[in-house]
Structures are given as structure tokens and as C-alpha cells.
């Protein structure tokens, strides 16, 4: 079984992002970039399935600028077998990425796509679902446990108030939640081996996909600063404030 | 608590555009090294430093290593972090491939080491000292010692220590008294006490290999009578299995100003009949071996200065952006602002940033020179690079560590009152930095080495070659447009003149009045540090300028580099004249006061 894992290059989660003065977006110049943490979990899950003898090949794919190669190399160092970069300088929105992935899925014919549930830069939480819809495949999102047997995936997912278990037929799209696994640190020997693994570069035109944005960003601003806290005299006052000031009760 | 993030962009810049990664990658044996590989390794090391080592830095400081019943227990989280660290292969980065190492160049392992030290200096000392012990065994160990110990030390399964210091033998190792008695079967029994032994005992691994300086019964007095021994905590069978507990015991650990999580041990050898050890190399040549290894060890401690400066800077910068206090000077009716808007806070931040970047530039340039000195096919290039490395090692050690104390102290100042409060974490960097100018040879010992062995001995040849290069860089800066480059040119040319004057004084007086020369040795070391750091920052500004002219991406990084180099020129290179004055005219004031008037 072949698994395809899409990975995105995003601002590192440790970086405190700052909004550009003109409100057009966040400042990413000279900012540390890394693999989207949910995608790391996806790569880890795929590699574990390979180590367990369930998957035969893990292919990582990323869409974006040339520097995304670094992100792909990181996936190869964790244990993916090869990588594909869809290189473009264009701004990519979830639908465009889903279409690009559909084209790659068409070529690669994986049985399973494991992707992060969302990217921590735009928090869109759309690409996996869009890909499943475009392919007409079943999907199981927010996975906290994945088991593969007899051409089906049994996926436990985190929902409000509990866990839900789905059984879906393959091929399918699974998106990862935070508790699915704890990704390993790549070892130095594996980082060195990753350099020798194949990394193919293609582009949207070759894949026949129009990536023109459908949405435009109107404005990006900082969240309001948190005001100073107040000390309440007793529970009654707290409940009163929650009801009448904060209006959350 | 502040999170450390590896300054990967600056590391890449210095490695690739200043220190000559391409040249290092072209050396025989470095076929696998490439720009991409460097990026990948820096990324992953940075991740490990941020996610595993950095979160334990403050908790380790608060909890500290603890001793009870003859054994050391490391702080919470240490054991698991060490397991992950060695499992990921980081202990093996620079070690020899024939014993399982990766054999990567020093330029690369240096940048990686910087991140361990920034993230958690107390942790980093364990692999660092092990690295020293590995090097000693590689250098002079017998085949048997190598096969018994090296693979396991390189994989991190066992650690190593360096046992030099005794109560009466610190800077002056000739005074070592620990005895080694031959047993007639090729082994020795050691008796004596060592103090201040870093990671002399711990619970991270099953065994520890101590490298110990001691005297044979018939050894001559002084420096020529000291030998080096390998003494395992648990004896090792020929098949590598662990045997009996050896007679070396940790009898206490020190309570220190900083690096609380690094156990500093008093080790007793032979209280119960003798600690079994084997001789490393030849008898009576132990100190000589230490000298060969000294470059490596001193360089590594210099890196601690750089690393703690970076950490303190990141910490202070984060606070300066958040802390709101006062209004902006010259702005009427404006609101309250973050303190980074105050000119003096900017001055402090720029002083931290510019010194850190200057130290990094110099250290990496020296690391690359070390790679060339060891592996370049042309013997002339090797010799020339080695002379440069030898000259600069005491500077990287002495200058960077003294700076770190200053930078970390400035970091506390940026925080105001919160800086003095332990919970903030800024004070820890200062406390941790304070040891770096003491161990592995105090700053005075570095300065003595610089003056005697590195400047006077070759008649100033190596240092004059540096001065010539500095002047060339100054002229190059002068040929570029803009006030920043004029400022850099002037400051660098003046600094070169000041250094030359101090060098001439040292060459004139070292043979005739060594006390007068020595009185100015530490100012001389600082002077050379400032000139060498300013020289590298000027080179960096020129590279940045050319990159901007060619329209490369990330222009803001390069613009920042030019401004930072200019700050260093105006605020630090400008101190050269004063330091040179202290070297040339300062001896009288230092030496004239009769001892009883102190
Ligand atoms: C936390 C810690 C960890 C350590 N780890 C290790 C370790 O792992 N292994 C190990 O072997 N040792 C270790 N040491 C010992 C350390 O290397 C010594 O403390 C150091 O070399 C200084 O020696 P000393 O303490 O005897 O000071 P002294 O030599 O007594 O120095 C006192 C002062 O006199 C000055 N001075 C001495 N001689 C001269 C001279 N010739 N010219 C000018 N000035 C001079 C010094 O600069 C200093 O200012 C450690 C020490 C500490 C505190």
C-alpha cells in the first residue's frame, strides 16, 4: 500500500508572528519556517504504518516555493521514501492545493492520503476535505487513532464530548489531530540519508491545474490586547460579572 | 520562561558567506557535505534544542544535580533528554567514522554545538567533556583502549570526563600529585583526589570513562612528569561487558553560582585499594597531550560565551518588545510604548546583538580554518591556517567568555527589576556565563598563552598577517558608498593602528621586561578580540552590501547586517585606542604599588 502525505511549510510554531504595518498579512521575512506540526504527525503515522509492514511506500508532497524542498527533506529524514515538490511562487489557497493534490493522486495512485487537519498559519482546515470531495473518496478527519486492515481504515476521531470511531473503505483521506502520535526526532544518520532520496520537482502547469486565488484578503490585524485582570470578592460577584459584563453565561 | 530558537539564518550566513563552507565542503573526506545538508542538520538540531533541551534549562537550574550516598542524581528530565540526544546521533556528529561517528566538519559541528549550549549549557557540558575524552583516546589511545571505549562513547552509551584539577593544581597543572602505581600486568592503580570534575558522576549512563592526569613513582618533578590514564567507573571486560565497580568515587558535589544542573564533583581515587587504570600514550607525556587537545577544549568553552550571549539576547529582545513603560522621546501626546522604543534600550540590544554576531563570525571563521588546517591537501595552506587558528584560540576563548558576562549582564539590565528576579530567567544566563572565563584556563591564562606562545614566539608573524588583512578589509569598506562604510573604514583602520602599536610594545618588552608585557596581557587579548570581531563584521557588511547590489532575496537580513556592523565599529572598534593605551602605558600603574599598600 502506498501512502501520500502532503506537507506544508509554515512559520515555526515557536515564532511570535507580527502583522505587517500595512495590514496585508503577517511578516515572514527572516522568520523561522518549519513543517506544519499536524503534517509532521501525518508523516510519522505513515512511516509507522510502513515500519509495521502495512504500507510499502511513503511519498511526501508539498506545493509552494523552492524552499519547500527543506520541508520535504525533513519528511524524508523522518522516514518517507521519496518526495514531490509542486513548485510555484503563486499564493496557494486550500482549493488550489486540493486540486494539485488530486493531480498527484491521479499519477501516484496511493491507497491512502494522510494529511494534517489544518495548517497553523491560516488554520483553514479545508484541504483534506476538499481533496476527498474532488476524488469522491471517503474521509475521516481529526484522527486520534488509525488502524488499517482488509482494505479498510478504522479511524478514531476526536469530536466534541468524546470519541467517534469510523470505518471507511480505501482509498481514502485521513486528517490527523494532535494526539494521533508524537513525532520522532530525525536522527543525524537519517538526515544524511534523506539527502540521497529522490525528490522530483513539477509545477502547477505541468499538472494542468489553475491555482489562481479565489479569495482575497481584506485585512489582517493583531488580536486585541488582553486587558488587566480584576480580583472578585466572591463567587456571586464572579457569576454576576460573567453574566452581565462578559455575557458568557 | 523564554524559548530559545536557533539563529539559523545568521548561522547560514556566517557559514556560507563568511567562513567559506564551499571551501570546507571541497576538502577530502567532506564529499557528503553540501549547503542543503547543512540546512537540514541545522533545522533538526534547532528543533531538538528548542523542544527538548531549552525547556529543561530553567527547571534544571532550579532543581540542580544532587548527591547522596556516593552517587549523583541529575535533574528531572535529564536522563530522558540524554537518551533522546544520543539516540538521535548527536553525540557522534564530529567523531571518527571508523568508530561510528559521522566525521562532519568542525564548521558544521560548531554551529550545532552552539545550539546545545544556548538551549541548555549545563546539559551540553556532558557531551562536551565526553568529546574531549574521545579526542584524547583517538589521539594517543592504544588499539585496545580504542576498541574497548570509543564506539560506546561516540554512540553516547557511555560518557567521559577530564580529570586535571586538584586542590593545589588549578592553573598550574605541574603541581598534580595523584599517584599511579604500575601493577606489573600493564595496568596501574591510582590514588589521589581530583576536584571540580564536570559530570564526574551521574545517572545518565551505565559507565563513565575518566581520563586522569597522575604521576608515576619514578616521574621527574614538574610538567615533564605527568602521565595520562584511562580509568573506567566500572571495569570493562575484553568482550565489552561491565565488570566490578572501580575504586573511584564521587565524595561530594559543589554548590555553585551557576550551571546548577551540571554536577561538579570531588572524585576520590584509591580510597579502597586503588582505582584500576591504563596508561594513555607514553609515560610522562600527559600534559603534552593535554596541550594538543587544548585548542579543541578552549574553542568549545569560547562557544559557550557566544551561545549564552545569543540566549541572553533573545531573552532580552522578547522582553523589550513586550514591556510597556513611558512614552517615546520627542513624540508629543503619543501613548505609552514598549521599551524597545527608548534609545538606551536600543543601545543595549544593539550591543548584545552586535557582540554576539561578531563572536559568531570570528568563531566560525576559526572553525573553518581548523578544517582547512587539518585537511587541506596543500601543506603550506595547512601551516598558514594552523598559525591563524593557534593565534585565535585564546581570543575565541578569552574574549567571547568575557563578553558573555557583559552581554548577559546587559540582558539583566534590559529587564529592569524583573531581571534581578530568578523567575524571569535572565539572571540564570549571567550566573551560567560567569564560569566560562574561569574553567579551561582563566582569561589570564589565555592571555599569557596569547602573548608568549602566539605573539612573541613567532616574532609577531601570525598577528601581523592578521593586521594586514584587517587593513585590506578596511580599504575595501572605504571603497563602498554610504556613511556606514565610511564609519566602518575609519574605525577599522584606527583599530588596526592601535593593535599594531600594542603588538610592537609586546614584541619589544616580552623578552626584556616580561612583567610589563604581562600586566597588559588581558587588555591585549580584548583588543585583539575587538579588532578580529570588527574585522569579521566589516567583511560581513561588505558581503551583505554585494548581496543587496545583486538583488538577492531577504534584503532585510542584509540591511540589518550592515547596520549591526556599523554599530560594532562605532561602539566597540572605537575602544581599541583605549585598550592599546592600557597595554602600552598601563604597566606602571599596575606594578608600582608596593604589595603592603594593597
Ligand atoms: C564549575 C567548574 C567546572 C570545572 N570542570 C573541570 C573539569 O571537568 N576538569 C578539570 O580538571 N577541572 C575543572 N575545573 C577546574 C578549572 O579548570 C580550574 O578552576 C581553573 O583552571 C582555575 O584554576 P584554580 O581554580 O585553581 O584557580 P587559580 O589557578 O588558583 O587561579 C586564581 C586566580 O589567579 C590567576 N592566575 C593563576 N595563575 C596565573 C598566572 N600564571 N598568570 C596570571 N594569573 C594567574 C587566575 O587567572 C585566577 O584569576 C572546573 C572548575 C569549575 C569551577
Amino acid at each position: 500500500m502506498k501512502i501520500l502525505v502532503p506537507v506544508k511549510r509554515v512559520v515555526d510554531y515557536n515564532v511570535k508572528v507580527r502583522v505587517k504595518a500595512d495590514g496585508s498579512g503577517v511578516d515572514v521575512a527572516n522568520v523561522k519556517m518549519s513543517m506544519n506540526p499536524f503534517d509532521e504527525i501525518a508523516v510519522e503515522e505513515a512511516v509507522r504504518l510502513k515500519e509495521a509492514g502495512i504500507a510499502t511506500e511513503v511519498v511526501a508532497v508539498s506545493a509552494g516555493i523552492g524552499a519547500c524542498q527543506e520541508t520535504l527533506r525533513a519528511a524524508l529524514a523522518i522516514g518517507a521514501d521519496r518526495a514531490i515538490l509542486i513548485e510555484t511562487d503563486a499564493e496557494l489557497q486550500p482549493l488550489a492545493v486540493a486540486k494539485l493534490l488530486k493531480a498527484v493522486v491521479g499519477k501516484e495512485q496511493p491507497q491512502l492520503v494522510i494529511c494534517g487537519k489544518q495548517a497553523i498559519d491560516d488554520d483553514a482546515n479545508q484541504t483534506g476535505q476538499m481533496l476527498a470531495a474532488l476524488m469522491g473518496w471517503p474521509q475521516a478527519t481529526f484522527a486520534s487513532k488509525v488502524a488499517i486492515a482488509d482494505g479498510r481504515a478504522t479511524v478514531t476521531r476526536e469530536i466534541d464530548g468524546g470519541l467517534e470511531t469510523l470505518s471507511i473503505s480505501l482509498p481514502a483521506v485521513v486528517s490527523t489531530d494532535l494526539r494521533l502520535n508524537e513525532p520522532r526526532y530525525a536522527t543525524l544518520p537519517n538526515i544524511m540519508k534523506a539527502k540521497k532520496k529522490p525528490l522530483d520537482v513539477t509545477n502547477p502547469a505541468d499538472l494542468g491545474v489553475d491555482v489562481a486565488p479565489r479569495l482575497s484578503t481584506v485585512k489582517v490585524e493583531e488580536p486585541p490586547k488582553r486587558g488587566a485582570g480584576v480580583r472578585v470578592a466572591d463567587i456571586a460577584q464572579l457569576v454576576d460579572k460573567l453574566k452581565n459584563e462578559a455575557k458568557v453565561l | 520562561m523564554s524559548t530559545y530558537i536557533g539563529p539559523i539564518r545568521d548561522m547560514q550566513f556566517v557559514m556560507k558567506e563568511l567562513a567559506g563552507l564551499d571551501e570546507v565542503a571541497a576538502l577530502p573526506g567532506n564529499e557528503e557535505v553540501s549547503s542543503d545538508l547543512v540546512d537540514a542538520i541545522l533545522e533538526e538540531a534547532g528543533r531538538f534544542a528548542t523542544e527538548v533541551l531549552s525547556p529543561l534549562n530553567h527547571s534544571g537550574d532550579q532543581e540542580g544535580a544532587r548527591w547522596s550516598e556516593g552517587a549523583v542524581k541529575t535533574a528531572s528530565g535529564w536522563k530522558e533528554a540524554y537518551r533522546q540526544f544520543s539516540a538521535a546521533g548527536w553525540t557522534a556528529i564530529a567523531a571518527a567514522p571508523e568508530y561510528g561517528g559521522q566525521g562532519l566538519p568542525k564548521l558544521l559541528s560548531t554551529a550545532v554545538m552552539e545550539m546545545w549550549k544556548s538551549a541548555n549549557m549545563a546539559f551540553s557540558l556532558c557531551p562536551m567533556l565526553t568529546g574531549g575524552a574521545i579526542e584524547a583516546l583517538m589521539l594517543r589511545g592504544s588499539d585496545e583502549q580504542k576498541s574497548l571505549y570509543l564506539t560506546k562513547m561516540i554512540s553516547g552509551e557511555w560518557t567521559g570526563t577530564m580529570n586535571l584539577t586538584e586542590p593545589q593544581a588549578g592553573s598550574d597543572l605541574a603541581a598534580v600529585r595523584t599517584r599511579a602505581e604500575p601493577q606489573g600486568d600493564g595496568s596501574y592503580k591510582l590514588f589521589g583526589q581530583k576536584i571540580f570534575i564536570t559530570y564526574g558522576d551521574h545517572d545518565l549512563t551505565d559507565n563513565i570513562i575518566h581520563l586522569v592526569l597522575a604521576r608515576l613513582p619514578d616521574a621527574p618533578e614538574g610538567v615533564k612528569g605527568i602521565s595520562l590514564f584511562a580509568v573506567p567507573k566500572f571495569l570493562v571486560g575484553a568482550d565489552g561487558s561491565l565488570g566490578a565497580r572501580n575504586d573511584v568515587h564521587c565524595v561530594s558535589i559543589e554548590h555553585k553560582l551557576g550551571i546548577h544542573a551540571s554536577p561538579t564533583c570531588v572524585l576520590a581515587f584509591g580510597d579502597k585499594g586503588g582505582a584500576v587504570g591504563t596508561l594513555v600514550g607514553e609515560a610522562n607525556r600527559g600534559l603534552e597531550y593535554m596541550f594538543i587537545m587544548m585548542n579543541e577544549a578552549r574553542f568549545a568553552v569560547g562557544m559557550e560565551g557566544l551561545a549564552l550571549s545569543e540566549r541572553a539576547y533573545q531573552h532580552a529582545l522578547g522582553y523589550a518588545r513586550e514591556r510597556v513603560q513611558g512614552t517615546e522621546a520627542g513624540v508629543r501626546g503619543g501613548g505609552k510604548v514598549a521599551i524597545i522604543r527608548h534609545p538606551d534600550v536600543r543601545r543595549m540590544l544593539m550591543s548584545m546583538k552586535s557582540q554576539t554576531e561578531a563572536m559568531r563570525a570570528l568563531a566560525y571563521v576559526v572553525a573553518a580554518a581548523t578544517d582547512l588546517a587539518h585537511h587541506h591537501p596543500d601543506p603550506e595552506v595547512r601551516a598558514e591556517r594552523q598559525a591563524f587558528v593557534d593565534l585565535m584560540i585564546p581570543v575565541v576563548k578569552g574574549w567571547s567568555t568575557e563578553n558573555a558576562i557583559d552581554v548577559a549582564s546587559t540582558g539583566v539590565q534590559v529587564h529592569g527589576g524583573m531581571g534581578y528576579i530568578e523567575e524571569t530567567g535572565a539572571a540564570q544566563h549571567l550566573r551560567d556565563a560567569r564560569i566560562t572565563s574561569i574553567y579551561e584556563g582563566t582569561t589570564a591564562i589565555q592571555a599569557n598563552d596569547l602573548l608568549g606562545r602566539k605573539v612573541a614566539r613567532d616574532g609577531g608573524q601570525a598577528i601581523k598577517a592578521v593586521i594586514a588583512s584587517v587593513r585590506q578589509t578596511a580599504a575595501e569598506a572605504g571603497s563602498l558608498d554610504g556613511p556606514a562604510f565610511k564609519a566602518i573604514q575609519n574605525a577599522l583602520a584606527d583599530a588596526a593602528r592601535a593593535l599594531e602599536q600594542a603588538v610592537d610594545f609586546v614584541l619589544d618588552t616580552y623578552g626584556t621586561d616580561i612583567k610589563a608585557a604581562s600586566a597588559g596581557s588581558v587588555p591585549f587579548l580584548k583588543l585583539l578580540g575587538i579588532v578580529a570581531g570588527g574585522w569579521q563584521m566589516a567583511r560581513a557588511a561588505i558581503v551583505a552590501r554585494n548581496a543587496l547590489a545583486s538583488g538577492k532575496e531577504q534584503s532585510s537580513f542584509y540591511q540589518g547586517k550592515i547596520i549591526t556592523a556599523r554599530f560594532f565599529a562605532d561602539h566597540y572598534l572605537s575602544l581599541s585606542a583605549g585598550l592599546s593605551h592600557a597595554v602600552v602605558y598601563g604597566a606602571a600603574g599596575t606594578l608600582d604599588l608596593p604589595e603592603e599598600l594593597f
Side-chain angles (χ1 to χ4, degrees), chain A residues 12-16 18 28-34 40 69-70 73-74 78 182-189 191-193 195-196 225, chain B residues 3 5-6 8-9 32-34 37 39-41 43-44 47-48 50-52 84 87-90 92-93 102 104 321-322 554 556-557:
Chain A
D12 188 272
Y13 77 94
N14 286 298
V15 172
K16 219 176 243 176
R18 271 171 294 140
V28 293
N30 300 328
V31 162
K32 180 164 161 40
M33 309 292 284
S34 300
E40 240 170 56
Q69 287 204 14
E70 286 169 23
R73 291 284 173 208
I78 296 173
E182 203 176 307
R184 71 194 71 187
Y185 291 98
T187 67
L188 184 55
I191 298 170
M192 300 188 56
K193 278 184 212 138
K195 243 192 79 183
K196 300 192 183 110
K225 282 244 189 306
Chain B
T3 307
I5 298 183
I8 290 179
R9 182 67 191 92
E32 290 198 58
V33 179
S34 65
L37 180 71
D39 293 345
I41 290 178
E43 278 297 324
E44 190 62 21
R47 202 162 88 99
F48 193 90
T50 300
E51 295 176 10
V52 180
Q84 287 182 288
W90 295 117
I93 184 166
Q102 293 294 343
L104 287 167
R321 284 196 201 283
E322 299 278 311
Q554 285 218 328
S556 58
F557 174 84

Side-chain angles (χ1 to χ4, degrees), chain B residues 125 129 161-173 194-200 254 256 258-259 262-264 435 437-445 448 521:
Chain B
L125 289 169
L129 271 300
T161 68
M162 301 300 284
N163 281 249
L164 286 54
T165 308
E166 297 176 11
Q168 77 296 344
S171 299
D172 178 16
L173 289 172
K194 294 286 177 181
I195 61 166
F196 296 163
I197 306 309
T198 300
Y199 281 93
E254 309 294 344
K256 310 189 293 290
I259 52 168
S262 165
T264 304
I435 185 58
S437 69
I438 296 172
Y439 60 19
E440 206 48 58
T442 62
T443 307
I445 297 301
N448 286 350
S521 64

Side-chain angles (χ1 to χ4, degrees), chain B residues 513-526:
Chain B
D513 186 356
I514 189 164
K515 272 200 171 173
S518 301
S521 64
V522 169
F524 183 86
L525 179 146
K526 290 183 176 172

